[in-house]
Amino acid sequence: MEKNVKISILCEIYGKLLTENQLGILNDYYNNDLSLSEIAENNKITRQAVRDILKKGENKLFEFEEKLSIMNKTLKQEKQIQDVLEQLNKIKGNYSDKQVDKILNTVRKELNCLV
């Protein structure tokens, strides 16, 4: 996954744990596509200060994810849900009862993993 996308997702999950300033600057840089200079000018700080705040904020986000793994768990669950939906779509065809039973057992196992 691209770093920019990862940071944006982590901001959505853990953003409230950052300072308001850190979250605002990360949001401007990663979501609003502002340059360091633009952010510095808007916040009346230096480019170096913006860079430092970005790095500290990124490090905190990665630290939270390392400890809590919410993003990884969510992505894993989304993958499992997608797999379940694909299995359910297979039932639409002309399958025998044994084939349908096999697919339903697979779906049950997948859903049990999510609970």
Side-chain angles (χ1 to χ4, degrees):
M1 179 182 304
E2 187 180 325
K3 181 183 176 185
N4 290 1
V5 174
K6 196 173 205 175
I7 296 287
S8 291
I9 293 170
L10 292 173
C11 278
E12 285 293 316
I13 297 170
Y14 303 113
K16 300 265 192 246
L17 300 173
L18 299 173
T19 66
E20 194 174 307
N21 191 41
Q22 284 174 327
L23 180 58
I25 287 175
L26 283 165
N27 188 48
D28 281 345
Y29 188 75
Y30 287 104
N31 296 328
N32 298 332
D33 202 29
L34 296 181
S35 69
L36 296 179
S37 297
E38 291 169 321
I39 297 169
E41 185 177 321
N42 292 345
N43 290 279
K44 296 178 180 27
I45 57 177
T46 65
R47 284 182 77 250
Q48 185 61 46
V50 171
R51 189 179 182 304
D52 291 344
I53 292 168
L54 282 172
K55 288 298 165 193
K56 285 180 185 175
E58 289 170 9
N59 289 339
K60 280 187 177 182
L61 290 174
F62 288 124
E63 187 178 309
F64 293 143
E65 178 59 17
E66 184 180 319
K67 291 178 180 176
L68 302 172
S69 296
I70 293 173
M71 183 180 72
N72 286 333
K73 289 175 187 173
T74 301
L75 293 174
K76 184 178 177 184
Q77 283 182 339
E78 287 176 1
K79 170 78 169 88
Q80 288 175 318
I81 290 168
Q82 186 61 39
D83 291 345
V84 167
L85 292 174
E86 287 174 15
Q87 292 293 323
L88 289 174
N89 285 332
K90 290 180 184 178
I91 295 175
K92 290 182 180 178
N94 295 325
Y95 289 99
S96 70
D97 288 343
K98 287 182 182 180
Q99 289 170 317
V100 170
D101 190 46
K102 183 179 176 184
I103 292 170
L104 289 175
N105 282 332
T106 303
V107 169
R108 276 190 207 99
K109 287 178 187 174
E110 290 290 331
L111 289 174
N112 284 330
C113 290
L114 298 176
V115 179

